Amino acid sequence: MTKTVHIIGAGISGLSAGVRLAKAGYTVHVHEATQQVGGRCRTYFDGATGLTIDNGNHLLLSGNHHALDYARTIGSDGGLVGPAKAEFSFIDLRKNNEWLLRLNDGRLPLWVFDRNSRVPDTRPGDYFALAPLSWAGTDKRVGDTIACNGVLYDRLVQPLLLAALNIDPPLGSAGLAGAIIRETLLAGGKACRPLVARNGLSSVLIDPGISFIEAHGGSVRIGREVRELVRVESRIATLKFVDDEIALGPQDAVVLAVPARAAVGLLPGLSAPTKFRAIVNAHFRYDPPADLPPILGVVGGLVEWLFAFPQRLSVTISDGDRLVDTPREELARAIWADVCKAARIEADLPAWQIVRDRRATFEATPEQHALRPGPVTSASNLFLAGDWTDTGLPATIEGSVRSGDRAADHVLRM
Ligand SMILES: Cc1cc2nc3c(=O)[nH]c(=O)nc-3n(C[C@H](O)[C@H](O)[C@H](O)COP(=O)(O)OP(=O)(O)OC[C@H]3O[C@@H](n4cnc5c(N)ncnc54)[C@H](O)[C@@H]3O)c2cc1C
């Protein structure tokens, strides 16, 4: 039986694979290239605001079963907090109106028939027109599958799919959008409660994962960039780092859980997405007004989602490529103007930070989705994980954990 597994990359995909294998009795060693674990999902102290912030606001849903199972295993699921019901507050900045979307718990979408629960100015028939998405093929675009206009589109479908796909929805893969619709709206309110790591992503999804692996006899080491995977016949035999190397035993396995570009660097010829999209996050040091919901969907402005954290208002803007070259202060001022309207406050620009991740997610088009590989490689002891591998979902925490779980299951079957 394989005893030792080397995981390359300490993001959510690598840690979830490591936790699953450590739980199964394997000795797990995680090697992270940078000086911080967590990858695209991490917490740090920000000097500009004087606050501890996440690189990006991350929203999970109660139906993200793999992510929640992972959090339960490492004992941190209590750190994911949200309302008891699937309720989403929205504001339309153009029309200056607000509404509360309220999904009933069961799978039967009764909320669609209740004018106080559904999106204002929509009718039940508008919702059924979304049905083709739920069975669309992965080669189709959202824009070829449903009408991307109208009130329901502007107030629900566009914000939901933009957040999930991180691309202007008409261009996005209808197959991936369909997976989101099936796992959210069609799964009922029980699967749609919004959850955030109120005290930071690292304290909930990263640090307890490391502690779990270490408590099971493994290690997680930073500053350990794997430079080469040396192959002998059909197996990976050696991991080469900058200054040293590790020879693998005949039973040892490797899970490569690095971003797509790094994976292709280590495995030339690997099929992987080549195009990526940015996400912009803005953080403002400002005590949220007492009546501001913890998560507010914003329609008709630059801001898309406004999060209220202790001492901080935080904003997410998806598909942010158009903003990556805007001067930082200009961008902060424009976003703050929207925040003031959405939160109904009047205040000068407080201490702020803008975080722009240019390669936040792979581009969720049919073409890029078709490039995503499965977990199995031509080396018998090497498996792939990562949100960009073919998980059936867009690049999300849930997809990352699924990929980690799946790679771990392959190791367990070796
Ligand atoms: C701003 C932002 C907002 C987001 N919002 C959401 C959200 O609201 N909800 C949601 O579900 N998802 C969200 N996501 C997506 C989510 O963060 C990612 O899907 C997830 O974190 C990807 O994890 P991963 O482990 O697959 O990859 P990564 O986090 O990229 O981890 C890969 C790790 O491998 C390391 N590495 C690379 N090369 C090497 C090497 N040669 N040797 C050793 N280590 C190496 C990297 O340093 C990195 O730590 C967001 C992402 C961003 C950037």
Side-chain angles (χ1 to χ4, degrees):
M1 188 179 100
T2 303
K3 284 287 182 213
T4 300
V5 183
H6 293 274
I7 311 249
I8 306 173
I12 292 281
S13 304
L15 291 176
S16 56
V19 163
R20 198 170 180 89
L21 289 163
K23 190 178 169 193
Y26 286 64
T27 303
V28 171
H29 298 298
V30 184
H31 309 281
E32 166 57 42
T34 66
Q35 294 300 320
Q36 200 187 347
V37 286
R40 279 169 282 157
C41 189
R42 62 182 193 281
T43 307
Y44 57 91
F45 179 76
D46 171 58
T49 55
L51 296 171
T52 299
I53 61 174
D54 293 331
N55 64 311
N57 303 309
H58 280 63
L59 184 66
L60 286 151
L61 293 177
S62 48
N64 290 163
H65 295 298
H66 283 251
L68 291 182
D69 281 351
Y70 165 72
R72 267 190 289 274
T73 302
I74 60 178
S76 64
D77 51 316
L80 292 169
V81 296
K85 294 275 177 195
E87 296 183 343
F88 294 84
S89 299
F90 279 91
I91 186 167
D92 185 335
L93 295 184
R94 282 170 310 207
K95 306 214 164 124
N96 198 25
N97 62 343
E98 297 171 45
W99 64 95
L100 185 64
L101 181 76
R102 294 188 303 176
L103 278 64
N104 57 288
D105 278 354
R107 277 180 182 268
L108 203 61
L110 300 174
W111 60 278
V112 165
F113 300 99
D114 176 359
R115 63 170 65 238
N116 294 319
S117 296
R118 67 177 183 246
V119 177
D121 305 325
T122 61
R123 288 166 307 186
D126 299 335
Y127 296 78
F128 297 114
L130 302 177
L133 269 186
S134 64
W135 59 74
T138 49
D139 57 333
K140 295 275 183 296
R141 289 174 199 277
V142 172
D144 304 329
T145 311
I146 57 163
C148 292
N149 52 42
V151 178
L152 181 64
Y153 179 79
D154 289 346
R155 292 183 170 178
L156 178 60
V157 180
Q158 199 268 359
L160 171 68
L161 293 186
L162 178 60
L165 299 176
N166 194 28
I167 187 170
D168 189 23
L171 305 177
S173 155
L176 292 176
I180 294 298
I181 297 282
R182 282 194 302 278
E183 296 195 15
T184 57
L185 298 181
L186 290 180
K190 272 210 167 122
C192 295
R193 281 198 312 113
L195 299 171
V196 292
R198 198 162 177 71
N199 295 323
L201 290 167
S202 292
S203 68
V204 179
L205 295 175
I206 307 300
D207 300 341
I210 296 170
S211 303
F212 187 95
I213 290 169
E214 289 174 347
H216 286 73
S219 67
V220 179
R221 292 177 63 193
I222 56 174
R224 296 277 291 163
E225 181 184 350
V226 172
R227 290 282 176 93
E228 194 184 342
L229 303 170
V230 182
R231 190 176 166 139
V232 174
E233 296 171 354
S234 65
R235 301 183 71 259
I236 301 300
T238 307
L239 303 183
K240 283 201 173 174
F241 300 85
V242 180
D243 305 320
D244 64 339
E245 57 184 53
I246 295 177
L248 270 59
Q251 308 284 318
D252 294 354
V254 181
V255 174
L256 185 61
V258 299
R261 282 159 60 106
V264 173
L266 289 166
L267 297 174
L270 177 72
S271 172
T274 52
K275 293 185 179 170
F276 304 88
R277 293 276 169 151
I279 296 180
V280 176
N281 274 264
H283 308 273
F284 301 97
R285 186 176 180 127
Y286 192 89
D287 287 327
D291 58 349
L292 187 69
I295 305 164
L296 177 64
V298 183
V299 174
L302 181 59
V303 169
E304 290 157 7
W305 295 94
L306 174 60
F307 293 77
F309 291 104
Q311 294 183 279
R312 174 164 60 101
L313 291 172
S314 245
V315 162
T316 298
I317 303 172
S318 297
D319 192 20
D321 292 56
R322 68 195 184 286
L323 303 174
V324 291
D325 294 324
T326 307
R328 286 166 53 77
E329 178 152 354
E330 185 185 316
L331 188 55
R333 287 191 182 282
I335 295 175
W336 182 246
D338 264 15
V339 170
C340 289
K341 281 191 229 162
R344 302 196 186 287
I345 51 180
E346 281 180 31
D348 291 338
L349 180 67
W352 55 272
Q353 182 58 277
I354 301 275
V355 186
R356 295 184 269 208
D357 193 324
R358 286 168 190 261
R359 292 199 193 88
T361 68
F362 74 91
E363 192 177 86
T365 56
E367 297 76 21
Q368 291 294 309
H369 174 64
L371 296 172
R372 300 169 81 187
V376 176
T377 69
S378 59
S380 60
N381 62 342
L382 173 67
F383 302 97
L384 301 176
D387 61 352
W388 56 276
T389 60
D390 189 4
T391 63
L393 290 176
T396 52
I397 291 179
E398 174 67 4
S400 303
V401 178
R402 278 189 204 182
S403 79
D405 287 351
R406 185 177 60 178
D409 288 342
H410 277 281
V411 174
L412 294 173
R413 282 200 291 271
M414 251 174 70

